[in-house]
Structures are given as structure tokens and as C-alpha cells.
Amino acid sequence: MTPEFDWNRQWEVLVESVKWAAQEARKAGLKLIIEPRVGEIISNTDSMLRLIDAVDEPNLGAILDTGHQYAQKEILPLSILKLSDRLMYLHLSDNDGTKNDHLVPGQGTIDWIGVFEALKRINFEGYAGLDIAKVNGNLDKAYIKARDIFNNFASQAGFK
């Protein structure tokens, strides 16, 4: 950090910018959804919640990227419960918790039943996207396999 860097000012600018963007989105009938990402100012569930509180706009929400947050040692079911109604979109991928990989489910160690049970508990009705990479072979087959695995986990958790 340079001697001129001022964290409080950085945070203030971020909050002002996100508030403006959320207000503009609301005027257009939209939500503003931010994804916490490894190595960024908003990098985890708690920093996202801090931003949501500071911005104080009802249409501001979060994307939960299971791969990003699990690589940062987040307890994913707890993250889901913390975000609750501010969780508006999911990026679904697996990893082993040591690298920020985006693997097909089953190739990592994420507790998918716990994830889907937490989603059921908060009555999640948002959208989810498969966010997988490092596919050896046929990408279409990998996405179909991931979809089928996630549908199975969702069914086990009581989603219809």
C-alpha cells in the first residue's frame, strides 16, 4: 500500500458507487447483484453483508460462487443462511477447498447436501448457473453430468 492509501476513503467510494448503481438499477426495475471474489475488496460473505448494510438499498444482493467461497474456507451452508433473502444467484462448481477451481460436482469436497438443505431453509427461488472449467473431454457431457448431479442433490434436500 502506498502511504497515500486511505482505507476509509476507499470504502466510502465503493459504498457511494454501489449505492448509485443500485438506485439506477431500481429505477429500471432491476436488481444489482455482486459476486464476492477471491482477492477483491468484497471477497467473502461477511464483506458482502457489510456492503449490503452500508449501501442500504433493497435491490442489492449477492451471487454465491461456491467455488470461490469454498476455496476461501467459507462454510457454504452458513454463508447461505447469513445471506438469506439477499442471496439472489448461484454459481455452482466444486473444488477441494485448496484452490479456486471450478470443477464438476463430485470432483471436489463441497458438502452439496448441506448447501441444498440451506437453500431450502431460506426458501431460495433464484437462479443458478453451472460454472465449471478444467473439463477433460466433452464439455456438453460435463455440463449434463453436473446438471444431473445438482438435480439429485436438490431433490434429496426436498426441492421439487
Side-chain angles (χ1 to χ4, degrees), residues 63-68 76 80 89-95 101-105 110 112 115-116 119 124 127-133 143 146-147 150-151 154:
I63 297 171
L64 179 68
D65 186 310
T66 58
H68 290 169
L76 296 177
I80 291 164
Y89 190 83
L90 299 167
H91 281 170
L92 299 173
S93 65
D94 208 343
N95 66 44
D101 287 332
H102 287 68
L103 306 174
V104 173
I110 288 177
W112 290 110
V115 166
F116 281 94
L119 291 169
F124 181 76
Y127 291 95
L130 298 174
D131 188 14
I132 56 177
Y143 269 89
R147 179 206 60 203
F150 284 131
N151 283 341

PDB file of all heavy atoms in Angstrom, residues 63-68 76 80 89-95 101-105 110 112 115-116 119 124 127-133 143 146-147 150-151 154:
ATOM      1  N   ILE A  63     -24.304 -12.815  -5.333  1.00  0.00           N
ATOM      2  CA  ILE A  63     -24.103 -14.073  -6.043  1.00  0.00           C
ATOM      3  C   ILE A  63     -23.219 -14.915  -5.130  1.00  0.00           C
ATOM      4  O   ILE A  63     -22.190 -14.428  -4.665  1.00  0.00           O
ATOM      5  CB  ILE A  63     -23.378 -13.861  -7.391  1.00  0.00           C
ATOM      6  CG1 ILE A  63     -24.210 -13.017  -8.334  1.00  0.00           C
ATOM      7  CG2 ILE A  63     -23.012 -15.206  -8.018  1.00  0.00           C
ATOM      8  CD1 ILE A  63     -23.470 -12.594  -9.599  1.00  0.00           C
ATOM      9  N   LEU A  64     -23.617 -16.139  -4.885  1.00  0.00           N
ATOM     10  CA  LEU A  64     -22.747 -17.054  -4.152  1.00  0.00           C
ATOM     11  C   LEU A  64     -22.085 -17.965  -5.166  1.00  0.00           C
ATOM     12  O   LEU A  64     -22.755 -18.765  -5.819  1.00  0.00           O
ATOM     13  CB  LEU A  64     -23.530 -17.875  -3.127  1.00  0.00           C
ATOM     14  CG  LEU A  64     -22.676 -18.877  -2.348  1.00  0.00           C
ATOM     15  CD1 LEU A  64     -21.700 -18.160  -1.419  1.00  0.00           C
ATOM     16  CD2 LEU A  64     -23.550 -19.832  -1.566  1.00  0.00           C
ATOM     17  N   ASP A  65     -20.785 -17.812  -5.318  1.00  0.00           N
ATOM     18  CA  ASP A  65     -19.993 -18.701  -6.164  1.00  0.00           C
ATOM     19  C   ASP A  65     -19.394 -19.749  -5.241  1.00  0.00           C
ATOM     20  O   ASP A  65     -18.488 -19.458  -4.456  1.00  0.00           O
ATOM     21  CB  ASP A  65     -18.904 -17.916  -6.891  1.00  0.00           C
ATOM     22  CG  ASP A  65     -18.136 -18.760  -7.893  1.00  0.00           C
ATOM     23  OD1 ASP A  65     -17.687 -19.868  -7.511  1.00  0.00           O
ATOM     24  OD2 ASP A  65     -17.962 -18.319  -9.027  1.00  0.00           O
ATOM     25  N   THR A  66     -19.918 -20.951  -5.320  1.00  0.00           N
ATOM     26  CA  THR A  66     -19.494 -21.995  -4.389  1.00  0.00           C
ATOM     27  C   THR A  66     -18.000 -22.277  -4.505  1.00  0.00           C
ATOM     28  O   THR A  66     -17.344 -22.513  -3.492  1.00  0.00           O
ATOM     29  CB  THR A  66     -20.302 -23.289  -4.604  1.00  0.00           C
ATOM     30  OG1 THR A  66     -20.147 -23.730  -5.959  1.00  0.00           O
ATOM     31  CG2 THR A  66     -21.773 -23.063  -4.288  1.00  0.00           C
ATOM     32  N   GLY A  67     -17.465 -22.227  -5.705  1.00  0.00           N
ATOM     33  CA  GLY A  67     -16.036 -22.472  -5.888  1.00  0.00           C
ATOM     34  C   GLY A  67     -15.172 -21.413  -5.226  1.00  0.00           C
ATOM     35  O   GLY A  67     -14.223 -21.730  -4.508  1.00  0.00           O
ATOM     36  N   HIS A  68     -15.515 -20.143  -5.435  1.00  0.00           N
ATOM     37  CA  HIS A  68     -14.744 -19.052  -4.829  1.00  0.00           C
ATOM     38  C   HIS A  68     -14.798 -19.105  -3.311  1.00  0.00           C
ATOM     39  O   HIS A  68     -13.777 -18.999  -2.627  1.00  0.00           O
ATOM     40  CB  HIS A  68     -15.276 -17.693  -5.272  1.00  0.00           C
ATOM     41  CG  HIS A  68     -15.024 -17.374  -6.702  1.00  0.00           C
ATOM     42  ND1 HIS A  68     -15.617 -16.309  -7.328  1.00  0.00           N
ATOM     43  CD2 HIS A  68     -14.259 -17.954  -7.644  1.00  0.00           C
ATOM     44  CE1 HIS A  68     -15.238 -16.252  -8.573  1.00  0.00           C
ATOM     45  NE2 HIS A  68     -14.416 -17.255  -8.800  1.00  0.00           N
ATOM     46  N   LEU A  76     -20.172 -23.105   3.451  1.00  0.00           N
ATOM     47  CA  LEU A  76     -21.178 -22.687   2.478  1.00  0.00           C
ATOM     48  C   LEU A  76     -22.609 -22.677   3.025  1.00  0.00           C
ATOM     49  O   LEU A  76     -23.330 -21.704   2.781  1.00  0.00           O
ATOM     50  CB  LEU A  76     -21.066 -23.524   1.205  1.00  0.00           C
ATOM     51  CG  LEU A  76     -19.746 -23.352   0.449  1.00  0.00           C
ATOM     52  CD1 LEU A  76     -19.714 -24.283  -0.764  1.00  0.00           C
ATOM     53  CD2 LEU A  76     -19.511 -21.911   0.036  1.00  0.00           C
ATOM     54  N   ILE A  80     -24.964 -19.264   3.119  1.00  0.00           N
ATOM     55  CA  ILE A  80     -26.322 -19.191   2.563  1.00  0.00           C
ATOM     56  C   ILE A  80     -27.296 -18.657   3.615  1.00  0.00           C
ATOM     57  O   ILE A  80     -28.105 -17.773   3.337  1.00  0.00           O
ATOM     58  CB  ILE A  80     -26.752 -20.575   2.040  1.00  0.00           C
ATOM     59  CG1 ILE A  80     -25.917 -20.921   0.801  1.00  0.00           C
ATOM     60  CG2 ILE A  80     -28.249 -20.618   1.738  1.00  0.00           C
ATOM     61  CD1 ILE A  80     -25.960 -22.375   0.401  1.00  0.00           C
ATOM     62  N   TYR A  89     -28.473 -15.252  -6.632  1.00  0.00           N
ATOM     63  CA  TYR A  89     -27.999 -16.053  -7.763  1.00  0.00           C
ATOM     64  C   TYR A  89     -26.888 -16.961  -7.271  1.00  0.00           C
ATOM     65  O   TYR A  89     -26.157 -16.610  -6.340  1.00  0.00           O
ATOM     66  CB  TYR A  89     -27.484 -15.142  -8.885  1.00  0.00           C
ATOM     67  CG  TYR A  89     -27.208 -15.858 -10.174  1.00  0.00           C
ATOM     68  CD1 TYR A  89     -28.233 -16.118 -11.078  1.00  0.00           C
ATOM     69  CD2 TYR A  89     -25.922 -16.284 -10.499  1.00  0.00           C
ATOM     70  CE1 TYR A  89     -27.990 -16.784 -12.265  1.00  0.00           C
ATOM     71  CE2 TYR A  89     -25.675 -16.948 -11.693  1.00  0.00           C
ATOM     72  CZ  TYR A  89     -26.706 -17.193 -12.571  1.00  0.00           C
ATOM     73  OH  TYR A  89     -26.467 -17.858 -13.743  1.00  0.00           O
ATOM     74  N   LEU A  90     -26.756 -18.118  -7.905  1.00  0.00           N
ATOM     75  CA  LEU A  90     -25.716 -19.077  -7.549  1.00  0.00           C
ATOM     76  C   LEU A  90     -24.843 -19.393  -8.754  1.00  0.00           C
ATOM     77  O   LEU A  90     -25.353 -19.574  -9.864  1.00  0.00           O
ATOM     78  CB  LEU A  90     -26.336 -20.395  -7.074  1.00  0.00           C
ATOM     79  CG  LEU A  90     -27.218 -20.358  -5.850  1.00  0.00           C
ATOM     80  CD1 LEU A  90     -27.984 -21.674  -5.729  1.00  0.00           C
ATOM     81  CD2 LEU A  90     -26.375 -20.115  -4.615  1.00  0.00           C
ATOM     82  N   HIS A  91     -23.544 -19.473  -8.527  1.00  0.00           N
ATOM     83  CA  HIS A  91     -22.599 -20.077  -9.460  1.00  0.00           C
ATOM     84  C   HIS A  91     -22.192 -21.390  -8.824  1.00  0.00           C
ATOM     85  O   HIS A  91     -21.589 -21.388  -7.742  1.00  0.00           O
ATOM     86  CB  HIS A  91     -21.341 -19.214  -9.643  1.00  0.00           C
ATOM     87  CG  HIS A  91     -21.528 -18.064 -10.551  1.00  0.00           C
ATOM     88  ND1 HIS A  91     -20.586 -17.077 -10.682  1.00  0.00           N
ATOM     89  CD2 HIS A  91     -22.524 -17.729 -11.398  1.00  0.00           C
ATOM     90  CE1 HIS A  91     -21.002 -16.187 -11.549  1.00  0.00           C
ATOM     91  NE2 HIS A  91     -22.180 -16.559 -11.991  1.00  0.00           N
ATOM     92  N   LEU A  92     -22.530 -22.496  -9.441  1.00  0.00           N
ATOM     93  CA  LEU A  92     -22.295 -23.802  -8.853  1.00  0.00           C
ATOM     94  C   LEU A  92     -21.103 -24.497  -9.496  1.00  0.00           C
ATOM     95  O   LEU A  92     -21.087 -24.726 -10.709  1.00  0.00           O
ATOM     96  CB  LEU A  92     -23.548 -24.670  -9.006  1.00  0.00           C
ATOM     97  CG  LEU A  92     -24.804 -24.140  -8.320  1.00  0.00           C
ATOM     98  CD1 LEU A  92     -26.005 -24.996  -8.700  1.00  0.00           C
ATOM     99  CD2 LEU A  92     -24.622 -24.097  -6.816  1.00  0.00           C
ATOM    100  N   SER A  93     -20.119 -24.813  -8.664  1.00  0.00           N
ATOM    101  CA  SER A  93     -18.967 -25.598  -9.078  1.00  0.00           C
ATOM    102  C   SER A  93     -18.355 -26.206  -7.830  1.00  0.00           C
ATOM    103  O   SER A  93     -18.631 -25.778  -6.713  1.00  0.00           O
ATOM    104  CB  SER A  93     -17.938 -24.733  -9.813  1.00  0.00           C
ATOM    105  OG  SER A  93     -17.404 -23.760  -8.933  1.00  0.00           O
ATOM    106  N   ASP A  94     -17.516 -27.193  -8.021  1.00  0.00           N
ATOM    107  CA  ASP A  94     -16.905 -27.914  -6.911  1.00  0.00           C
ATOM    108  C   ASP A  94     -15.407 -27.621  -6.887  1.00  0.00           C
ATOM    109  O   ASP A  94     -14.828 -27.172  -7.884  1.00  0.00           O
ATOM    110  CB  ASP A  94     -17.140 -29.419  -7.096  1.00  0.00           C
ATOM    111  CG  ASP A  94     -17.180 -30.205  -5.793  1.00  0.00           C
ATOM    112  OD1 ASP A  94     -16.721 -29.681  -4.763  1.00  0.00           O
ATOM    113  OD2 ASP A  94     -17.674 -31.347  -5.820  1.00  0.00           O
ATOM    114  N   ASN A  95     -14.784 -27.835  -5.744  1.00  0.00           N
ATOM    115  CA  ASN A  95     -13.327 -27.884  -5.625  1.00  0.00           C
ATOM    116  C   ASN A  95     -12.976 -28.558  -4.314  1.00  0.00           C
ATOM    117  O   ASN A  95     -13.862 -28.969  -3.572  1.00  0.00           O
ATOM    118  CB  ASN A  95     -12.662 -26.499  -5.797  1.00  0.00           C
ATOM    119  CG  ASN A  95     -12.995 -25.515  -4.703  1.00  0.00           C
ATOM    120  OD1 ASN A  95     -12.991 -25.836  -3.523  1.00  0.00           O
ATOM    121  ND2 ASN A  95     -13.301 -24.291  -5.104  1.00  0.00           N
ATOM    122  N   ASP A 101     -10.628 -23.670  -7.898  1.00  0.00           N
ATOM    123  CA  ASP A 101     -11.036 -24.405  -9.093  1.00  0.00           C
ATOM    124  C   ASP A 101     -12.551 -24.372  -9.240  1.00  0.00           C
ATOM    125  O   ASP A 101     -13.274 -24.126  -8.284  1.00  0.00           O
ATOM    126  CB  ASP A 101     -10.573 -25.861  -9.009  1.00  0.00           C
ATOM    127  CG  ASP A 101      -9.071 -26.014  -9.201  1.00  0.00           C
ATOM    128  OD1 ASP A 101      -8.467 -25.170  -9.886  1.00  0.00           O
ATOM    129  OD2 ASP A 101      -8.512 -26.992  -8.671  1.00  0.00           O
ATOM    130  N   HIS A 102     -12.995 -24.650 -10.441  1.00  0.00           N
ATOM    131  CA  HIS A 102     -14.422 -24.729 -10.748  1.00  0.00           C
ATOM    132  C   HIS A 102     -14.658 -26.075 -11.439  1.00  0.00           C
ATOM    133  O   HIS A 102     -14.719 -26.154 -12.663  1.00  0.00           O
ATOM    134  CB  HIS A 102     -14.847 -23.560 -11.624  1.00  0.00           C
ATOM    135  CG  HIS A 102     -14.897 -22.269 -10.887  1.00  0.00           C
ATOM    136  ND1 HIS A 102     -13.787 -21.629 -10.413  1.00  0.00           N
ATOM    137  CD2 HIS A 102     -15.949 -21.506 -10.517  1.00  0.00           C
ATOM    138  CE1 HIS A 102     -14.142 -20.522  -9.791  1.00  0.00           C
ATOM    139  NE2 HIS A 102     -15.455 -20.430  -9.837  1.00  0.00           N
ATOM    140  N   LEU A 103     -14.779 -27.107 -10.617  1.00  0.00           N
ATOM    141  CA  LEU A 103     -14.866 -28.477 -11.100  1.00  0.00           C
ATOM    142  C   LEU A 103     -16.310 -28.962 -11.165  1.00  0.00           C
ATOM    143  O   LEU A 103     -17.200 -28.400 -10.534  1.00  0.00           O
ATOM    144  CB  LEU A 103     -14.068 -29.398 -10.170  1.00  0.00           C
ATOM    145  CG  LEU A 103     -12.603 -29.025  -9.920  1.00  0.00           C
ATOM    146  CD1 LEU A 103     -12.004 -29.944  -8.862  1.00  0.00           C
ATOM    147  CD2 LEU A 103     -11.804 -29.061 -11.207  1.00  0.00           C
ATOM    148  N   VAL A 104     -16.496 -30.048 -11.902  1.00  0.00           N
ATOM    149  CA  VAL A 104     -17.783 -30.733 -11.945  1.00  0.00           C
ATOM    150  C   VAL A 104     -18.076 -31.260 -10.538  1.00  0.00           C
ATOM    151  O   VAL A 104     -17.156 -31.718  -9.846  1.00  0.00           O
ATOM    152  CB  VAL A 104     -17.724 -31.891 -12.968  1.00  0.00           C
ATOM    153  CG1 VAL A 104     -18.992 -32.735 -12.919  1.00  0.00           C
ATOM    154  CG2 VAL A 104     -17.496 -31.352 -14.377  1.00  0.00           C
ATOM    155  N   PRO A 105     -19.319 -31.193 -10.074  1.00  0.00           N
ATOM    156  CA  PRO A 105     -19.630 -31.700  -8.734  1.00  0.00           C
ATOM    157  C   PRO A 105     -19.211 -33.159  -8.596  1.00  0.00           C
ATOM    158  O   PRO A 105     -19.349 -33.948  -9.523  1.00  0.00           O
ATOM    159  CB  PRO A 105     -21.145 -31.540  -8.616  1.00  0.00           C
ATOM    160  CG  PRO A 105     -21.632 -31.406 -10.019  1.00  0.00           C
ATOM    161  CD  PRO A 105     -20.528 -30.774 -10.787  1.00  0.00           C
ATOM    162  N   ILE A 110     -17.007 -30.323  -1.635  1.00  0.00           N
ATOM    163  CA  ILE A 110     -18.107 -29.490  -1.131  1.00  0.00           C
ATOM    164  C   ILE A 110     -19.240 -30.384  -0.644  1.00  0.00           C
ATOM    165  O   ILE A 110     -19.589 -31.387  -1.278  1.00  0.00           O
ATOM    166  CB  ILE A 110     -18.600 -28.506  -2.214  1.00  0.00           C
ATOM    167  CG1 ILE A 110     -17.551 -27.410  -2.430  1.00  0.00           C
ATOM    168  CG2 ILE A 110     -19.953 -27.892  -1.845  1.00  0.00           C
ATOM    169  CD1 ILE A 110     -17.882 -26.415  -3.522  1.00  0.00           C
ATOM    170  N   TRP A 112     -22.554 -30.845  -0.747  1.00  0.00           N
ATOM    171  CA  TRP A 112     -23.670 -30.375  -1.561  1.00  0.00           C
ATOM    172  C   TRP A 112     -25.017 -30.579  -0.885  1.00  0.00           C
ATOM    173  O   TRP A 112     -25.923 -29.760  -1.053  1.00  0.00           O
ATOM    174  CB  TRP A 112     -23.641 -31.027  -2.941  1.00  0.00           C
ATOM    175  CG  TRP A 112     -22.506 -30.502  -3.740  1.00  0.00           C
ATOM    176  CD1 TRP A 112     -21.374 -31.168  -4.100  1.00  0.00           C
ATOM    177  CD2 TRP A 112     -22.359 -29.170  -4.234  1.00  0.00           C
ATOM    178  NE1 TRP A 112     -20.538 -30.331  -4.801  1.00  0.00           N
ATOM    179  CE2 TRP A 112     -21.117 -29.105  -4.904  1.00  0.00           C
ATOM    180  CE3 TRP A 112     -23.152 -28.028  -4.186  1.00  0.00           C
ATOM    181  CZ2 TRP A 112     -20.662 -27.943  -5.516  1.00  0.00           C
ATOM    182  CZ3 TRP A 112     -22.699 -26.871  -4.792  1.00  0.00           C
ATOM    183  CH2 TRP A 112     -21.471 -26.838  -5.449  1.00  0.00           C
ATOM    184  N   VAL A 115     -25.408 -27.680   1.303  1.00  0.00           N
ATOM    185  CA  VAL A 115     -25.698 -26.481   0.504  1.00  0.00           C
ATOM    186  C   VAL A 115     -27.173 -26.441   0.125  1.00  0.00           C
ATOM    187  O   VAL A 115     -27.861 -25.442   0.336  1.00  0.00           O
ATOM    188  CB  VAL A 115     -24.800 -26.429  -0.755  1.00  0.00           C
ATOM    189  CG1 VAL A 115     -25.305 -25.402  -1.770  1.00  0.00           C
ATOM    190  CG2 VAL A 115     -23.357 -26.132  -0.368  1.00  0.00           C
ATOM    191  N   PHE A 116     -27.672 -27.540  -0.417  1.00  0.00           N
ATOM    192  CA  PHE A 116     -29.062 -27.539  -0.871  1.00  0.00           C
ATOM    193  C   PHE A 116     -30.049 -27.521   0.300  1.00  0.00           C
ATOM    194  O   PHE A 116     -31.129 -26.933   0.187  1.00  0.00           O
ATOM    195  CB  PHE A 116     -29.320 -28.697  -1.836  1.00  0.00           C
ATOM    196  CG  PHE A 116     -28.812 -28.393  -3.221  1.00  0.00           C
ATOM    197  CD1 PHE A 116     -27.545 -28.785  -3.621  1.00  0.00           C
ATOM    198  CD2 PHE A 116     -29.590 -27.676  -4.109  1.00  0.00           C
ATOM    199  CE1 PHE A 116     -27.075 -28.479  -4.884  1.00  0.00           C
ATOM    200  CE2 PHE A 116     -29.125 -27.357  -5.383  1.00  0.00           C
ATOM    201  CZ  PHE A 116     -27.856 -27.757  -5.766  1.00  0.00           C
ATOM    202  N   LEU A 119     -30.223 -23.901   1.199  1.00  0.00           N
ATOM    203  CA  LEU A 119     -31.024 -23.189   0.199  1.00  0.00           C
ATOM    204  C   LEU A 119     -32.515 -23.432   0.430  1.00  0.00           C
ATOM    205  O   LEU A 119     -33.325 -22.507   0.324  1.00  0.00           O
ATOM    206  CB  LEU A 119     -30.630 -23.628  -1.217  1.00  0.00           C
ATOM    207  CG  LEU A 119     -29.246 -23.190  -1.681  1.00  0.00           C
ATOM    208  CD1 LEU A 119     -28.876 -23.906  -2.971  1.00  0.00           C
ATOM    209  CD2 LEU A 119     -29.176 -21.681  -1.851  1.00  0.00           C
ATOM    210  N   PHE A 124     -34.894 -20.456  -1.096  1.00  0.00           N
ATOM    211  CA  PHE A 124     -34.246 -19.879  -2.277  1.00  0.00           C
ATOM    212  C   PHE A 124     -35.049 -20.212  -3.524  1.00  0.00           C
ATOM    213  O   PHE A 124     -35.359 -21.368  -3.793  1.00  0.00           O
ATOM    214  CB  PHE A 124     -32.817 -20.409  -2.418  1.00  0.00           C
ATOM    215  CG  PHE A 124     -32.087 -19.839  -3.600  1.00  0.00           C
ATOM    216  CD1 PHE A 124     -31.598 -18.547  -3.557  1.00  0.00           C
ATOM    217  CD2 PHE A 124     -31.904 -20.585  -4.747  1.00  0.00           C
ATOM    218  CE1 PHE A 124     -30.919 -18.002  -4.647  1.00  0.00           C
ATOM    219  CE2 PHE A 124     -31.228 -20.055  -5.836  1.00  0.00           C
ATOM    220  CZ  PHE A 124     -30.739 -18.762  -5.786  1.00  0.00           C
ATOM    221  N   TYR A 127     -32.023 -18.038  -9.397  1.00  0.00           N
ATOM    222  CA  TYR A 127     -31.428 -18.809 -10.477  1.00  0.00           C
ATOM    223  C   TYR A 127     -30.057 -19.320 -10.076  1.00  0.00           C
ATOM    224  O   TYR A 127     -29.415 -18.784  -9.177  1.00  0.00           O
ATOM    225  CB  TYR A 127     -31.301 -17.946 -11.736  1.00  0.00           C
ATOM    226  CG  TYR A 127     -32.636 -17.617 -12.358  1.00  0.00           C
ATOM    227  CD1 TYR A 127     -33.274 -16.416 -12.053  1.00  0.00           C
ATOM    228  CD2 TYR A 127     -33.255 -18.504 -13.220  1.00  0.00           C
ATOM    229  CE1 TYR A 127     -34.512 -16.117 -12.623  1.00  0.00           C
ATOM    230  CE2 TYR A 127     -34.480 -18.212 -13.787  1.00  0.00           C
ATOM    231  CZ  TYR A 127     -35.103 -17.016 -13.485  1.00  0.00           C
ATOM    232  OH  TYR A 127     -36.319 -16.721 -14.033  1.00  0.00           O
ATOM    233  N   ALA A 128     -29.619 -20.344 -10.792  1.00  0.00           N
ATOM    234  CA  ALA A 128     -28.290 -20.900 -10.599  1.00  0.00           C
ATOM    235  C   ALA A 128     -27.694 -21.202 -11.960  1.00  0.00           C
ATOM    236  O   ALA A 128     -28.408 -21.558 -12.898  1.00  0.00           O
ATOM    237  CB  ALA A 128     -28.362 -22.178  -9.769  1.00  0.00           C
ATOM    238  N   GLY A 129     -26.397 -21.028 -12.044  1.00  0.00           N
ATOM    239  CA  GLY A 129     -25.684 -21.356 -13.265  1.00  0.00           C
ATOM    240  C   GLY A 129     -24.539 -22.299 -12.955  1.00  0.00           C
ATOM    241  O   GLY A 129     -23.886 -22.177 -11.916  1.00  0.00           O
ATOM    242  N   LEU A 130     -24.319 -23.254 -13.841  1.00  0.00           N
ATOM    243  CA  LEU A 130     -23.163 -24.124 -13.707  1.00  0.00           C
ATOM    244  C   LEU A 130     -21.933 -23.347 -14.130  1.00  0.00           C
ATOM    245  O   LEU A 130     -21.910 -22.747 -15.208  1.00  0.00           O
ATOM    246  CB  LEU A 130     -23.330 -25.377 -14.564  1.00  0.00           C
ATOM    247  CG  LEU A 130     -24.508 -26.262 -14.208  1.00  0.00           C
ATOM    248  CD1 LEU A 130     -24.648 -27.397 -15.215  1.00  0.00           C
ATOM    249  CD2 LEU A 130     -24.360 -26.802 -12.806  1.00  0.00           C
ATOM    250  N   ASP A 131     -20.922 -23.345 -13.304  1.00  0.00           N
ATOM    251  CA  ASP A 131     -19.722 -22.530 -13.518  1.00  0.00           C
ATOM    252  C   ASP A 131     -18.506 -23.449 -13.438  1.00  0.00           C
ATOM    253  O   ASP A 131     -17.726 -23.378 -12.499  1.00  0.00           O
ATOM    254  CB  ASP A 131     -19.673 -21.440 -12.439  1.00  0.00           C
ATOM    255  CG  ASP A 131     -18.584 -20.410 -12.671  1.00  0.00           C
ATOM    256  OD1 ASP A 131     -18.030 -20.365 -13.781  1.00  0.00           O
ATOM    257  OD2 ASP A 131     -18.292 -19.660 -11.730  1.00  0.00           O
ATOM    258  N   ILE A 132     -18.392 -24.338 -14.420  1.00  0.00           N
ATOM    259  CA  ILE A 132     -17.331 -25.328 -14.369  1.00  0.00           C
ATOM    260  C   ILE A 132     -16.279 -25.074 -15.439  1.00  0.00           C
ATOM    261  O   ILE A 132     -16.552 -24.518 -16.492  1.00  0.00           O
ATOM    262  CB  ILE A 132     -17.879 -26.761 -14.477  1.00  0.00           C
ATOM    263  CG1 ILE A 132     -18.711 -26.961 -15.742  1.00  0.00           C
ATOM    264  CG2 ILE A 132     -18.720 -27.086 -13.245  1.00  0.00           C
ATOM    265  CD1 ILE A 132     -19.221 -28.379 -15.934  1.00  0.00           C
ATOM    266  N   ALA A 133     -15.067 -25.482 -15.107  1.00  0.00           N
ATOM    267  CA  ALA A 133     -13.927 -25.336 -16.014  1.00  0.00           C
ATOM    268  C   ALA A 133     -13.063 -26.583 -15.865  1.00  0.00           C
ATOM    269  O   ALA A 133     -13.410 -27.510 -15.138  1.00  0.00           O
ATOM    270  CB  ALA A 133     -13.139 -24.076 -15.668  1.00  0.00           C
ATOM    271  N   TYR A 143     -21.377 -30.711 -18.584  1.00  0.00           N
ATOM    272  CA  TYR A 143     -22.485 -29.876 -18.115  1.00  0.00           C
ATOM    273  C   TYR A 143     -23.734 -30.705 -17.833  1.00  0.00           C
ATOM    274  O   TYR A 143     -24.441 -30.466 -16.851  1.00  0.00           O
ATOM    275  CB  TYR A 143     -22.785 -28.747 -19.113  1.00  0.00           C
ATOM    276  CG  TYR A 143     -22.001 -27.499 -18.794  1.00  0.00           C
ATOM    277  CD1 TYR A 143     -20.731 -27.303 -19.323  1.00  0.00           C
ATOM    278  CD2 TYR A 143     -22.509 -26.545 -17.937  1.00  0.00           C
ATOM    279  CE1 TYR A 143     -19.996 -26.182 -18.997  1.00  0.00           C
ATOM    280  CE2 TYR A 143     -21.787 -25.412 -17.611  1.00  0.00           C
ATOM    281  CZ  TYR A 143     -20.532 -25.232 -18.151  1.00  0.00           C
ATOM    282  OH  TYR A 143     -19.810 -24.122 -17.821  1.00  0.00           O
ATOM    283  N   ALA A 146     -23.100 -32.486 -14.571  1.00  0.00           N
ATOM    284  CA  ALA A 146     -23.236 -31.540 -13.457  1.00  0.00           C
ATOM    285  C   ALA A 146     -24.697 -31.227 -13.182  1.00  0.00           C
ATOM    286  O   ALA A 146     -25.147 -31.230 -12.031  1.00  0.00           O
ATOM    287  CB  ALA A 146     -22.455 -30.262 -13.753  1.00  0.00           C
ATOM    288  N   ARG A 147     -25.454 -30.979 -14.219  1.00  0.00           N
ATOM    289  CA  ARG A 147     -26.886 -30.693 -14.057  1.00  0.00           C
ATOM    290  C   ARG A 147     -27.597 -31.836 -13.358  1.00  0.00           C
ATOM    291  O   ARG A 147     -28.365 -31.645 -12.416  1.00  0.00           O
ATOM    292  CB  ARG A 147     -27.531 -30.433 -15.422  1.00  0.00           C
ATOM    293  CG  ARG A 147     -29.022 -30.142 -15.315  1.00  0.00           C
ATOM    294  CD  ARG A 147     -29.800 -30.484 -16.564  1.00  0.00           C
ATOM    295  NE  ARG A 147     -29.687 -31.903 -16.882  1.00  0.00           N
ATOM    296  CZ  ARG A 147     -29.881 -32.405 -18.098  1.00  0.00           C
ATOM    297  NH1 ARG A 147     -30.186 -31.629 -19.112  1.00  0.00           N
ATOM    298  NH2 ARG A 147     -29.772 -33.702 -18.318  1.00  0.00           N
ATOM    299  N   PHE A 150     -26.561 -32.024  -9.653  1.00  0.00           N
ATOM    300  CA  PHE A 150     -27.192 -30.966  -8.867  1.00  0.00           C
ATOM    301  C   PHE A 150     -28.692 -31.211  -8.713  1.00  0.00           C
ATOM    302  O   PHE A 150     -29.257 -30.958  -7.647  1.00  0.00           O
ATOM    303  CB  PHE A 150     -26.912 -29.588  -9.458  1.00  0.00           C
ATOM    304  CG  PHE A 150     -25.526 -29.100  -9.191  1.00  0.00           C
ATOM    305  CD1 PHE A 150     -24.747 -28.588 -10.204  1.00  0.00           C
ATOM    306  CD2 PHE A 150     -24.976 -29.160  -7.910  1.00  0.00           C
ATOM    307  CE1 PHE A 150     -23.465 -28.134  -9.962  1.00  0.00           C
ATOM    308  CE2 PHE A 150     -23.691 -28.719  -7.654  1.00  0.00           C
ATOM    309  CZ  PHE A 150     -22.931 -28.203  -8.677  1.00  0.00           C
ATOM    310  N   ASN A 151     -29.343 -31.692  -9.745  1.00  0.00           N
ATOM    311  CA  ASN A 151     -30.767 -32.022  -9.625  1.00  0.00           C
ATOM    312  C   ASN A 151     -30.980 -33.098  -8.568  1.00  0.00           C
ATOM    313  O   ASN A 151     -31.947 -33.042  -7.805  1.00  0.00           O
ATOM    314  CB  ASN A 151     -31.342 -32.464 -10.971  1.00  0.00           C
ATOM    315  CG  ASN A 151     -31.606 -31.300 -11.903  1.00  0.00           C
ATOM    316  OD1 ASN A 151     -31.706 -30.148 -11.476  1.00  0.00           O
ATOM    317  ND2 ASN A 151     -31.696 -31.591 -13.185  1.00  0.00           N
ATOM    318  N   ALA A 154     -30.522 -31.460  -5.142  1.00  0.00           N
ATOM    319  CA  ALA A 154     -31.690 -30.622  -4.872  1.00  0.00           C
ATOM    320  C   ALA A 154     -32.884 -31.482  -4.479  1.00  0.00           C
ATOM    321  O   ALA A 154     -33.612 -31.148  -3.538  1.00  0.00           O
ATOM    322  CB  ALA A 154     -32.017 -29.765  -6.094  1.00  0.00           C
TER     323      ALA A 154
END
